[in-house]
Amino acid sequence: MALEGKTKRLIPGSEPGTLIMVTKDELTGGDAAKKATITGIATHKTTQTANVFSLLTRHNIPTAFIRKESETSLLCQDCDMLPLELVMRRYAWGSFLKREPQYQRSEPYRFDEIKCEFFHKWAVVMSPLTPAPIQMEENEARAKYLKDGVWAEGVYTDPYLRIQGKDWFLHSAKLPVEQTNTLMQTTPVCTAEELSFIVNKLMLPCFQVLENAWKTVVTAHGPVVLCDIKIEVGRKKTDGQLVIADVIDNDSWRIWPGGDPKRQLDKQNFRDGHPLRMVSDNYALVAELTSAFLK
């Protein structure tokens, strides 16, 4: 049975415990409030993910990737995905500055140690839509509360997750954390031991490997700087092992040739409303640049 998502389709694989992930010619932004069809972009995104996961595999970082099946599809281990977005940052940029405005500078603030953040993929729905805060799977929330590209008041998508011991609390991802109330408490989706494994064996090694790989990719403006990246993690259905799953492509990171945010090559160009032709050209370029990861 095929499953249809915003930017990909999942179908059963030909081998036990596998699935085929088919990329679509779609981009979304602003928590799916903005979307566009760009012919050919699926090929670029698939190439990027295959190149990235091949690199991670070579560095013994556990992933769900098996091989590239076609120009627009990947064969992967079937996983039960954790409803989390895991973000690693070298620079204070993007939505981070909304939560931590004290890091606002004339030049991007660089962290000496990689900053790890967690976000829940289930939206929080609260007053005036519900009498008490509840969590709702993102597809259901989108169907109910996203109209004409605008989310209804009281919906908080991809809420920021603050973990304090065994307690998990959800906050708005777009407001200063220290100045806003908790939206609600949520049930942990993994143990403390699993969370430690995710951070130390998946998130940090993933960032370090990709940061070093991008440093070796030299453009006309200098080496490429990895600003930040988001990944997703799942449990392999065959043995329960936690692995990096889903995709890592130009939707997943911010990359700056020569360390200049104005020269960004990633999906931020789409979010910022740049011409779709430019967006497509950047995705094609990044597919070509990541071929260096295979050497």
Side-chain angles (χ1 to χ4, degrees):
M1 178 179 179
L3 296 176
E4 200 80 20
K6 293 178 293 185
T7 59
K8 65 183 77 74
R9 186 163 57 94
L10 305 179
I11 60 178
S14 57
E15 303 171 18
T18 67
L19 57 79
I20 294 175
M21 185 161 46
V22 183
T23 312
K24 300 194 291 189
D25 282 332
E26 305 286 342
L27 284 187
T28 64
D31 301 322
K34 180 179 183 179
K35 55 185 177 180
T37 300
I38 304 177
T39 302
I41 208 162
T43 298
H44 306 322
K45 285 159 58 72
T46 303
T47 297
Q48 293 161 11
T49 291
N51 292 344
V52 167
F53 276 111
S54 295
L55 175 67
L56 297 180
T57 299
R58 198 162 70 245
H59 283 82
N60 299 313
I61 298 173
T63 78
F65 174 74
I66 299 174
R67 64 176 177 266
K68 186 178 179 181
E69 283 283 273
S70 73
E71 286 189 347
T72 60
S73 66
L74 306 168
L75 181 68
C76 305
Q77 298 283 349
D78 194 5
C79 295
D80 291 315
M81 299 298 294
L82 302 188
L84 301 174
E85 286 192 349
L86 310 171
V87 177
M88 299 83 80
R89 302 183 185 277
R90 177 62 78 187
Y91 289 88
W93 201 251
S95 67
F96 180 85
L97 294 175
K98 296 180 180 180
R99 294 185 300 280
E100 305 282 356
Q102 69 272 23
Y103 285 96
Q104 185 76 55
R105 304 285 195 280
S106 57
E107 296 293 329
Y109 179 89
R110 186 183 188 277
F111 297 110
D112 291 333
E113 297 185 1
I114 299 165
K115 182 83 170 177
C116 293
E117 293 187 300
F118 310 92
F119 301 83
H120 208 295
K121 288 182 67 69
W122 285 35
V124 174
V125 181
M126 55 194 306
S127 177
L129 300 171
T130 60
I134 61 170
Q135 275 191 274
M136 185 176 295
E137 199 274 335
E138 64 176 336
N139 287 333
E140 183 181 356
R142 192 180 307 115
K144 287 186 175 181
Y145 300 119
L146 180 63
K147 305 297 180 185
D148 299 321
V150 178
W151 285 97
E153 181 185 356
V155 179
Y156 295 83
T157 56
D158 296 328
Y160 172 71
L161 178 59
R162 176 182 280 184
I163 300 174
Q164 298 178 320
K166 295 182 178 180
D167 296 323
W168 288 25
F169 301 96
L170 298 177
H171 295 256
S172 168
K174 300 174 182 177
L175 295 172
V177 173
E178 299 299 335
Q179 301 174 23
T180 56
N181 295 326
T182 301
L183 298 176
M184 64 180 293
Q185 189 169 350
T186 189
T187 302
V189 300
C190 62
T191 66
E193 291 75 18
E194 288 175 326
L195 190 64
S196 177
F197 177 88
I198 289 170
V199 171
N200 295 297
K201 300 299 183 180
L202 300 180
M203 294 177 71
L204 293 176
C206 173
F207 190 95
Q208 290 161 348
V209 165
L210 286 170
E211 181 179 47
N212 289 334
W214 273 121
K215 286 178 181 177
T216 68
V217 178
V218 179
T219 70
H221 306 289
V224 177
V225 170
L226 178 61
C227 169
D228 55 36
I229 187 172
K230 67 177 179 180
I231 64 172
E232 295 188 30
V233 166
R235 292 187 179 93
K236 289 166 54 179
K237 290 186 177 180
T238 53
D239 60 12
Q241 181 189 11
L242 286 165
V243 296
I244 300 175
D246 194 54
V247 300
I248 299 178
D249 59 23
N250 222 26
D251 298 6
S252 308
W253 52 36
R254 288 186 176 90
I255 47 176
W256 300 338
D260 185 353
K262 295 178 182 178
R263 301 190 185 279
Q264 61 195 10
L265 294 175
D266 48 78
K267 193 172 79 168
Q268 191 61 41
N269 285 305
F270 174 70
R271 300 186 189 101
D272 292 344
H274 292 191
L276 296 184
R277 180 73 260 173
M278 175 190 292
V279 173
S280 180
D281 288 347
N282 282 340
Y283 273 69
L285 175 58
V286 172
E288 179 183 348
L289 293 178
T290 57
S291 65
F293 296 174
L294 303 180
K295 298 176 182 178

